[in-house]
Amino acid sequence: MDYIQEIKRLKKEKNAIILTHCYQPIELDEISDFVGDSFFLSKKAKETEADIIVFAGVHFMAQSAKLLNPDKKVLLPNLNSGCFMADMLNLKQLREFKSKHPGIPTVCYINSTAEIKAECDICCTSSNALSVVKSLNVDEILFVPDTYLGKWVEKKLEKVKVNTYNGFCPTHLRIRIEDIEAARKNHPGSKILAHPECHNAVSRLADFVGSTKEIMEYVKNSSEQSFVIATEKGVLDRLKRDYPQKEFYLIRDDIICQNMKWNTVQDVYNALKNEEHEIKIEKEVQKKAYRCISRMMECAK
Ligand code: 13P
Ligand code: SF4
């Protein structure tokens, strides 16, 4: 069967859209309506008038789409698509962490479950974390679950104390100082672009630190010819495709998030055809978590 043609036909028949994160296998782009980072896809999920959203990403992203547009049917093609970082923080751990710092607003990275969002004040993604924290107008926050993004925000904003939970992304943490040193030696003159989920010691040595979208924008707007990509390989694959005249190197061969690679074209087809793997959120959680995520959408447009 020609899955690609069938998916295109089913999308029309069922009034469905496919949202795809830039870390997904690149062959999904052909069937996707929008490809981008988690904030861009959240905006697309919120504004769509389609009846079905197939979310080619990880679970928290599909769940965020459901939070933002609860009347839609949101499908995750392959249920193995979790996120190690999101799984590092459960409700009990969040409550314990908050009880050690009473009265301080809690910002949660979008890489968290709906239950966590329901107990936090505002959500952020890596592309809007600075504006979200600034919007609170306070001098101290709690930041969960990613300690490295939280500490990066603290360094950038200087005047806000950021108490971070000790979660992290195992994929980005594979990147070591020695990898940056080796890249400088092997690719002299290349710009090193890193995601803020990297260890802060690594981010400090990069030429630019930004979200997936910001990294792609940096390349688009730069007159430089050569780049070392210190984030997930899906970003490198798309940059190579979109800018064939430029040179790109992945900082290490193993910066691959396995969670992001489960969804296949066939899984998308099955999800859409059978309307399977629907994201469901308990009513009370939906109500509270919606407040948290929509506050982000209000302050970071
Ligand atoms: P973005 O917000 O840049 O899309 O990143 C999401 C993510 O999971 C990074 O590991
Ligand atoms: Fe989660 Fe890291 Fe994969 Fe992003 S790259 S989805 S943070 S495990």
Side-chain angles (χ1 to χ4, degrees):
M1 185 191 315
D2 184 342
Y3 286 115
I4 296 206
Q5 286 316 316
E6 266 306 288
I7 289 168
K8 288 181 178 168
R9 191 188 64 73
L10 282 169
K11 278 206 294 182
K12 279 201 196 122
E13 182 185 300
K14 295 181 180 237
N15 189 25
I17 59 165
I18 301 177
L19 304 182
T20 299
H21 192 269
C22 309
Y23 294 179
Q24 290 284 297
I26 197 166
E27 59 272 19
L28 297 186
D29 288 11
E30 196 184 335
I31 47 165
S32 302
D33 295 273
F34 297 100
V35 181
D37 69 356
S38 38
F39 186 49
F40 174 76
L41 297 176
S42 295
K43 284 191 282 189
K44 294 297 166 196
K46 186 177 163 63
E47 70 198 23
T48 188
E49 286 180 2
D51 295 315
I52 298 179
I53 301 170
V54 181
F55 208 114
V58 289
H59 189 270
F60 75 79
M61 294 178 180
Q63 205 181 40
S64 299
K66 181 73 181 173
L67 286 175
L68 287 163
N69 210 338
D71 296 337
K72 308 297 175 189
K73 193 176 256 191
V74 179
L75 310 172
L76 182 64
N78 188 311
L79 291 177
N80 288 317
S81 309
C83 164
F84 291 131
M85 184 199 286
D87 291 344
M88 284 177 191
L89 182 64
N90 62 31
L91 261 190
K92 185 168 172 277
Q93 291 163 320
L94 175 67
R95 285 173 184 161
E96 257 171 43
F97 182 60
K98 283 174 72 168
S99 72
K100 286 186 195 141
H101 309 268
I104 298 176
T106 310
V107 179
C108 67
Y109 193 19
I110 197 165
N111 298 36
S112 55
T113 63
E115 286 73 17
I116 294 297
K117 289 183 179 79
E119 297 216 3
C120 292
D121 295 285
I122 190 165
C123 171
C124 74
T125 74
S126 55
S127 66
N128 60 32
L130 297 174
S131 50
V132 163
V133 175
K134 266 197 229 160
S135 79
L136 295 174
N137 211 7
V138 293
D139 54 14
E140 186 170 2
I141 60 160
L142 307 186
F143 193 93
V144 299
D146 188 8
T147 192
Y148 297 104
L149 178 61
K151 285 293 163 195
W152 178 76
V153 167
E154 182 174 65
K155 187 168 174 284
K156 294 292 275 191
L157 294 183
E158 286 175 357
K159 289 193 174 99
V160 183
K161 182 174 182 214
V162 181
N163 303 284
T164 61
Y165 188 73
N166 58 8
F168 58 90
C169 166
T171 307
H172 285 89
L173 270 213
R174 278 188 208 128
I175 304 169
R176 319 296 306 177
I177 290 175
E178 301 87 82
D179 297 315
I180 303 277
E181 289 167 352
R184 293 259 181 242
K185 198 163 139 230
N186 298 334
H187 309 294
S190 286
K191 291 289 174 203
I192 302 183
L193 316 180
H195 195 282
E197 284 176 17
C198 291
H199 195 291
N200 301 130
V202 165
S203 296
R204 262 197 292 278
L205 297 176
D207 295 303
F208 175 75
V209 181
S211 70
T212 307
K213 178 172 162 253
E214 286 164 341
I215 288 176
M216 293 176 117
E217 290 281 306
Y218 183 99
V219 170
K220 184 175 162 197
N221 299 325
S222 170
S223 55
E224 306 283 340
Q225 280 305 304
S226 179
F227 305 89
V228 175
I229 303 302
T231 188
E232 214 277 338
K233 184 173 175 293
V235 174
L236 173 103
D237 295 340
R238 286 167 176 88
L239 287 171
K240 277 186 165 171
R241 177 197 62 197
D242 296 344
Y243 304 97
Q245 72 287 8
K246 299 195 179 198
E247 278 171 35
F248 300 98
Y249 305 96
L250 196 60
I251 186 91
R252 312 167 40 112
D253 293 341
D254 59 356
I255 309 305
I256 296 174
C257 173
Q258 181 52 48
N259 291 314
M260 281 281 186
K261 306 302 184 197
W262 293 113
N263 294 318
T264 63
V265 170
Q266 194 174 342
D267 291 333
V268 172
Y269 168 77
N270 288 336
L272 194 50
K273 178 157 191 328
N274 306 322
E275 299 186 21
E276 65 189 15
H277 306 160
E278 186 179 350
I279 302 289
K280 301 260 192 207
I281 303 170
E282 200 256 309
K283 241 185 171 167
E284 199 52 28
V285 172
Q286 162 74 40
K287 208 170 99 193
K288 290 189 189 158
Y290 176 77
R291 224 171 8 217
C292 171
I293 196 167
S294 61
R295 222 179 140 189
M296 166 183 84
M297 303 307 279
E298 286 300 306
C299 90
K301 286 185 169 135

